[in-house]
Amino acid sequence: MSDNGSARVEIIYRPGDPQSPQLRLRVGHEVSITLYGSPAYGWTPVEVVPGPMTLIETEAVAGTARAAVRATAPGEAELRSTSSFHGDRFGPQTRLWPLLVHIDP
């Protein structure tokens, strides 16, 4: 997946959707992320695993996580969130949503 020259990329993920394996951006570009869940099986706020990206905003409400991040320097980063069932700690497995981001100058 690439940004097609735009300064903002939108990622929307719903349970059951195929996950985007990678994203390529340029420094200064932003990513808007929406991970849909449910109150019983919700997402944690999106995190940036150490790399050249900055969280602009993040929230997780009623199972849905939203975030905006900005590429700040060339390199590689990973965005991630986890989703688990809130009704039973021994319930369904926790899910991981990862997205590897390559940042060009």
Side-chain angles (χ1 to χ4, degrees):
M1 177 181 281
S2 69
D3 68 339
N4 297 323
S6 67
R8 189 167 184 98
V9 177
E10 186 173 2
I11 302 288
I12 296 173
Y13 178 78
R14 291 178 175 83
D17 285 352
Q19 293 190 8
S20 300
Q22 298 182 17
L23 180 66
R24 185 165 298 276
L25 301 172
R26 293 191 181 274
V27 172
H29 286 187
E30 295 181 0
V31 181
S32 172
I33 302 159
T34 303
L35 307 175
Y36 287 102
S38 71
Y41 211 111
W43 293 100
T44 60
V46 174
E47 300 176 307
V48 176
V49 177
M53 298 197 83
T54 299
L55 273 171
I56 301 168
E57 60 183 287
T58 185
E59 69 175 359
V61 177
T64 297
R66 289 184 175 82
V69 295
R70 180 178 298 121
T72 57
E76 192 173 276
E78 184 178 82
L79 305 174
R80 67 170 60 167
S81 178
T82 56
S83 177
S84 58
F85 184 68
H86 299 294
D88 178 359
R89 64 186 181 119
F90 300 108
Q93 293 183 338
T94 296
R95 297 179 290 181
L96 173 66
W97 176 85
L99 179 63
L100 181 61
V101 182
H102 302 278
I103 304 163
D104 297 327

